[in-house]
Amino acid sequence: QVYLVESGGGSVQAGGSLRLSCAASGSTDRRYCMGWFRQVFGKEREVVASIYTDAGSAYYADSVKGRFTISLDNAKNTLYLQMNSLKPEDTAMYYCVADPMYCSGGNPNYWGQGTQVTVSS
């Protein structure tokens, strides 16, 4: 079992930046895929970015490439998402996820409670 707690969401104007954090606890002593999904109410959720805990290459959705950076601090069991040049269309609830196998899509096993990001124009 893995427990995920997000923080760092908030409101920002277009062009601004935010950094999301996700603290992981529980059975974190194995290789995992960790990542970020987002969802707008009434729409399907979408993957934003993902990375493996053994320092594999990162995956980014086309909509965030060049603006968002995912990173992992294994010593702190914490996942980050640095979001720059934010756009109103980035407004969503952001969820931290983890899965032993794959989390660049599908339905990862573990989810955080979510943190809201709102970008105003």
Side-chain angles (χ1 to χ4, degrees):
Q1 183 71 30
V2 176
Y3 304 93
L4 306 169
V5 179
E6 304 97 333
S7 60
S11 297
V12 65
Q13 288 191 328
S17 298
L18 283 173
R19 188 177 80 155
L20 304 184
S21 299
C22 172
S25 60
S27 301
T28 57
D29 58 344
R30 57 175 294 183
R31 179 180 184 265
Y32 275 96
C33 177
M34 295 190 71
W36 296 92
F37 276 59
R38 66 186 181 187
Q39 186 169 25
V40 176
F41 182 77
K43 296 187 178 181
E44 288 190 6
R45 63 192 180 195
E46 60 175 350
V47 61
V48 176
S50 63
I51 191 168
Y52 283 88
T53 55
D54 60 355
S57 59
Y59 166 85
Y60 295 94
D62 287 343
S63 57
V64 306
K65 279 181 182 176
R67 301 187 299 122
F68 290 11
T69 302
I70 190 170
S71 61
L72 185 64
D73 186 333
N74 281 319
K76 295 181 179 179
N77 287 332
T78 301
L79 180 73
Y80 301 98
L81 185 69
Q82 178 67 43
M83 305 185 294
N84 297 329
S85 302
L86 282 161
K87 304 176 181 179
E89 51 264 43
D90 294 318
T91 296
M93 184 71 78
Y94 283 71
Y95 296 93
C96 178
V97 302
D99 190 282
M101 297 296 293
Y102 177 77
C103 67
S104 301
N107 186 22
N109 274 1
Y110 305 107
W111 291 73
Q113 81 286 355
T115 186
Q116 178 67 36
V117 171
T118 302
V119 184
S120 58
S121 58

